[in-house]
PDB file of all heavy atoms in Angstrom:
ATOM      1  N   TYR A 328      20.072  42.794  51.620  1.00 78.00           N
ATOM      2  CA  TYR A 328      21.454  42.384  51.412  1.00 78.00           C
ATOM      3  C   TYR A 328      22.431  43.558  51.299  1.00 78.00           C
ATOM      4  O   TYR A 328      23.319  43.574  50.479  1.00 78.00           O
ATOM      5  CB  TYR A 328      21.600  41.425  50.227  1.00 78.00           C
ATOM      6  CG  TYR A 328      20.984  41.853  48.931  1.00 78.00           C
ATOM      7  CD1 TYR A 328      21.706  42.630  48.033  1.00 78.00           C
ATOM      8  CD2 TYR A 328      19.702  41.436  48.578  1.00 78.00           C
ATOM      9  CE1 TYR A 328      21.169  42.993  46.829  1.00 78.00           C
ATOM     10  CE2 TYR A 328      19.153  41.802  47.372  1.00 78.00           C
ATOM     11  CZ  TYR A 328      19.894  42.579  46.493  1.00 78.00           C
ATOM     12  OH  TYR A 328      19.349  42.937  45.296  1.00 78.00           O
ATOM     13  N   ALA A 330      24.618  46.528  53.914  1.00 88.00           N
ATOM     14  CA  ALA A 330      24.968  46.963  55.260  1.00 88.00           C
ATOM     15  C   ALA A 330      24.967  48.483  55.254  1.00 88.00           C
ATOM     16  O   ALA A 330      25.343  49.118  54.270  1.00 88.00           O
ATOM     17  CB  ALA A 330      26.343  46.440  55.646  1.00 88.00           C
ATOM     18  N   GLU A 332      26.368  51.761  57.297  1.00 89.00           N
ATOM     19  CA  GLU A 332      27.256  52.270  58.321  1.00 89.00           C
ATOM     20  C   GLU A 332      26.860  53.713  58.583  1.00 89.00           C
ATOM     21  O   GLU A 332      26.791  54.522  57.659  1.00 89.00           O
ATOM     22  CB  GLU A 332      28.712  52.185  57.847  1.00 89.00           C
ATOM     23  CG  GLU A 332      29.702  52.372  58.968  1.00 89.00           C
ATOM     24  CD  GLU A 332      31.110  52.569  58.449  1.00 89.00           C
ATOM     25  OE1 GLU A 332      31.310  53.458  57.600  1.00 89.00           O
ATOM     26  OE2 GLU A 332      32.000  51.853  58.894  1.00 89.00           O
ATOM     27  N   ILE A 337      28.151  50.149  62.230  1.00 82.00           N
ATOM     28  CA  ILE A 337      27.205  49.382  61.431  1.00 82.00           C
ATOM     29  C   ILE A 337      25.858  49.355  62.160  1.00 82.00           C
ATOM     30  O   ILE A 337      25.780  49.064  63.352  1.00 82.00           O
ATOM     31  CB  ILE A 337      27.711  47.939  61.230  1.00 82.00           C
ATOM     32  CG1 ILE A 337      29.069  47.935  60.517  1.00 82.00           C
ATOM     33  CG2 ILE A 337      26.680  47.102  60.474  1.00 82.00           C
ATOM     34  CD1 ILE A 337      29.032  48.302  59.056  1.00 82.00           C
ATOM     35  N   VAL A 357      26.652  49.705  51.739  1.00 90.00           N
ATOM     36  CA  VAL A 357      27.521  48.723  51.094  1.00 90.00           C
ATOM     37  C   VAL A 357      26.705  47.490  50.755  1.00 90.00           C
ATOM     38  O   VAL A 357      25.985  46.970  51.587  1.00 90.00           O
ATOM     39  CB  VAL A 357      28.683  48.319  52.028  1.00 90.00           C
ATOM     40  CG1 VAL A 357      29.602  47.344  51.329  1.00 90.00           C
ATOM     41  CG2 VAL A 357      29.445  49.548  52.489  1.00 90.00           C
ATOM     42  N   PHE A 359      26.427  43.534  49.734  1.00 91.00           N
ATOM     43  CA  PHE A 359      27.151  42.265  49.761  1.00 91.00           C
ATOM     44  C   PHE A 359      27.235  41.752  48.330  1.00 91.00           C
ATOM     45  O   PHE A 359      26.239  41.708  47.626  1.00 91.00           O
ATOM     46  CB  PHE A 359      26.412  41.237  50.620  1.00 91.00           C
ATOM     47  CG  PHE A 359      27.221  40.002  50.909  1.00 91.00           C
ATOM     48  CD1 PHE A 359      27.798  39.830  52.149  1.00 91.00           C
ATOM     49  CD2 PHE A 359      27.429  39.033  49.939  1.00 91.00           C
ATOM     50  CE1 PHE A 359      28.567  38.704  52.427  1.00 91.00           C
ATOM     51  CE2 PHE A 359      28.196  37.913  50.203  1.00 91.00           C
ATOM     52  CZ  PHE A 359      28.767  37.742  51.452  1.00 91.00           C
ATOM     53  N   LEU A 360      28.410  41.397  47.898  1.00 92.00           N
ATOM     54  CA  LEU A 360      28.566  40.799  46.574  1.00 92.00           C
ATOM     55  C   LEU A 360      29.042  39.362  46.750  1.00 92.00           C
ATOM     56  O   LEU A 360      30.070  39.116  47.374  1.00 92.00           O
ATOM     57  CB  LEU A 360      29.547  41.597  45.726  1.00 92.00           C
ATOM     58  CG  LEU A 360      29.114  43.028  45.371  1.00 92.00           C
ATOM     59  CD1 LEU A 360      30.171  43.708  44.517  1.00 92.00           C
ATOM     60  CD2 LEU A 360      27.789  43.029  44.637  1.00 92.00           C
ATOM     61  N   GLY A 361      28.275  38.438  46.219  1.00 89.00           N
ATOM     62  CA  GLY A 361      28.568  37.031  46.459  1.00 89.00           C
ATOM     63  C   GLY A 361      29.332  36.360  45.332  1.00 89.00           C
ATOM     64  O   GLY A 361      29.853  35.269  45.508  1.00 89.00           O
ATOM     65  N   GLY A 362      29.407  36.979  44.171  1.00 89.00           N
ATOM     66  CA  GLY A 362      30.046  36.330  43.032  1.00 89.00           C
ATOM     67  C   GLY A 362      31.559  36.324  43.144  1.00 89.00           C
ATOM     68  O   GLY A 362      32.149  37.072  43.903  1.00 89.00           O
ATOM     69  N   GLY A 363      32.125  35.428  42.387  1.00 90.00           N
ATOM     70  CA  GLY A 363      33.582  35.383  42.409  1.00 90.00           C
ATOM     71  C   GLY A 363      34.090  34.530  41.263  1.00 90.00           C
ATOM     72  O   GLY A 363      35.259  34.284  41.151  1.00 90.00           O
TER      73      GLY A 363
ATOM     74  N   ALA B 321      36.848  33.600  38.500  1.00 96.00           N
ATOM     75  CA  ALA B 321      37.406  34.854  37.989  1.00 96.00           C
ATOM     76  C   ALA B 321      38.350  35.491  39.005  1.00 96.00           C
ATOM     77  O   ALA B 321      39.434  35.966  38.654  1.00 96.00           O
ATOM     78  CB  ALA B 321      36.283  35.823  37.644  1.00 96.00           C
ATOM     79  N   LEU B 322      37.958  35.493  40.289  1.00 98.00           N
ATOM     80  CA  LEU B 322      38.818  36.089  41.316  1.00 98.00           C
ATOM     81  C   LEU B 322      40.048  35.215  41.553  1.00 98.00           C
ATOM     82  O   LEU B 322      41.185  35.678  41.526  1.00 98.00           O
ATOM     83  CB  LEU B 322      38.064  36.239  42.642  1.00 98.00           C
ATOM     84  CG  LEU B 322      36.893  37.205  42.692  1.00 98.00           C
ATOM     85  CD1 LEU B 322      36.231  37.159  44.073  1.00 98.00           C
ATOM     86  CD2 LEU B 322      37.342  38.624  42.378  1.00 98.00           C
ATOM     87  N   ASP B 412      32.365  31.599  45.322  1.00 87.00           N
ATOM     88  CA  ASP B 412      31.284  32.112  44.486  1.00 87.00           C
ATOM     89  C   ASP B 412      29.939  32.119  45.206  1.00 87.00           C
ATOM     90  O   ASP B 412      28.906  32.208  44.582  1.00 87.00           O
ATOM     91  CB  ASP B 412      31.167  31.280  43.202  1.00 87.00           C
ATOM     92  CG  ASP B 412      30.785  29.834  43.486  1.00 87.00           C
ATOM     93  OD1 ASP B 412      30.719  29.452  44.674  1.00 87.00           O
ATOM     94  OD2 ASP B 412      30.553  29.085  42.524  1.00 87.00           O
ATOM     95  N   ARG B 417      31.841  31.857  52.495  1.00 94.00           N
ATOM     96  CA  ARG B 417      32.585  32.986  53.069  1.00 94.00           C
ATOM     97  C   ARG B 417      32.378  33.093  54.582  1.00 94.00           C
ATOM     98  O   ARG B 417      33.273  33.482  55.310  1.00 94.00           O
ATOM     99  CB  ARG B 417      32.169  34.292  52.390  1.00 94.00           C
ATOM    100  CG  ARG B 417      32.630  34.371  50.941  1.00 94.00           C
ATOM    101  CD  ARG B 417      32.311  35.729  50.356  1.00 94.00           C
ATOM    102  NE  ARG B 417      32.915  35.914  49.048  1.00 94.00           N
ATOM    103  CZ  ARG B 417      32.301  35.649  47.892  1.00 94.00           C
ATOM    104  NH1 ARG B 417      31.081  35.191  47.889  1.00 94.00           N
ATOM    105  NH2 ARG B 417      32.918  35.861  46.747  1.00 94.00           N
ATOM    106  N   TYR B 433      38.515  39.230  51.887  1.00 98.00           N
ATOM    107  CA  TYR B 433      37.204  39.061  51.242  1.00 98.00           C
ATOM    108  C   TYR B 433      37.202  39.772  49.897  1.00 98.00           C
ATOM    109  O   TYR B 433      37.736  40.862  49.757  1.00 98.00           O
ATOM    110  CB  TYR B 433      36.113  39.648  52.148  1.00 98.00           C
ATOM    111  CG  TYR B 433      34.777  39.910  51.479  1.00 98.00           C
ATOM    112  CD1 TYR B 433      34.106  38.894  50.802  1.00 98.00           C
ATOM    113  CD2 TYR B 433      34.183  41.168  51.532  1.00 98.00           C
ATOM    114  CE1 TYR B 433      32.878  39.133  50.192  1.00 98.00           C
ATOM    115  CE2 TYR B 433      32.950  41.410  50.932  1.00 98.00           C
ATOM    116  CZ  TYR B 433      32.308  40.394  50.257  1.00 98.00           C
ATOM    117  OH  TYR B 433      31.098  40.644  49.646  1.00 98.00           O
ATOM    118  N   SER B 436      32.314  39.997  43.391  1.00 96.00           N
ATOM    119  CA  SER B 436      32.064  40.776  42.183  1.00 96.00           C
ATOM    120  C   SER B 436      30.859  40.218  41.443  1.00 96.00           C
ATOM    121  O   SER B 436      30.737  39.006  41.281  1.00 96.00           O
ATOM    122  CB  SER B 436      33.299  40.735  41.277  1.00 96.00           C
ATOM    123  OG  SER B 436      33.078  41.530  40.133  1.00 96.00           O
ATOM    124  N   ILE B 457      30.309  43.564  59.432  1.00 90.00           N
ATOM    125  CA  ILE B 457      29.666  44.358  58.380  1.00 90.00           C
ATOM    126  C   ILE B 457      28.322  43.761  58.005  1.00 90.00           C
ATOM    127  O   ILE B 457      27.316  44.454  57.933  1.00 90.00           O
ATOM    128  CB  ILE B 457      30.563  44.410  57.125  1.00 90.00           C
ATOM    129  CG1 ILE B 457      31.956  44.895  57.498  1.00 90.00           C
ATOM    130  CG2 ILE B 457      29.950  45.327  56.079  1.00 90.00           C
ATOM    131  CD1 ILE B 457      32.959  44.662  56.400  1.00 90.00           C
ATOM    132  N   SER B 466      18.372  35.797  47.456  1.00 74.00           N
ATOM    133  CA  SER B 466      18.120  37.243  47.487  1.00 74.00           C
ATOM    134  C   SER B 466      19.208  38.027  46.781  1.00 74.00           C
ATOM    135  O   SER B 466      19.031  39.193  46.460  1.00 74.00           O
ATOM    136  CB  SER B 466      17.990  37.735  48.933  1.00 74.00           C
ATOM    137  OG  SER B 466      19.236  37.646  49.603  1.00 74.00           O
ATOM    138  N   ILE B 518      35.810  52.721  52.727  1.00 87.00           N
ATOM    139  CA  ILE B 518      35.294  53.028  54.060  1.00 87.00           C
ATOM    140  C   ILE B 518      36.168  52.320  55.078  1.00 87.00           C
ATOM    141  O   ILE B 518      36.519  51.156  54.894  1.00 87.00           O
ATOM    142  CB  ILE B 518      33.865  52.477  54.259  1.00 87.00           C
ATOM    143  CG1 ILE B 518      32.950  52.858  53.103  1.00 87.00           C
ATOM    144  CG2 ILE B 518      33.276  52.934  55.574  1.00 87.00           C
ATOM    145  CD1 ILE B 518      31.648  52.059  53.136  1.00 87.00           C
TER     146      ILE B 518
END
Side-chain angles (χ1 to χ4, degrees):
Chain A
Y328 51 88
E332 194 192 53
I337 300 288
V357 182
F359 191 104
L360 295 180
Chain B
L322 294 177
D412 64 354
R417 291 185 171 93
Y433 163 55
S436 182
I457 306 167
S466 68
I518 311 167

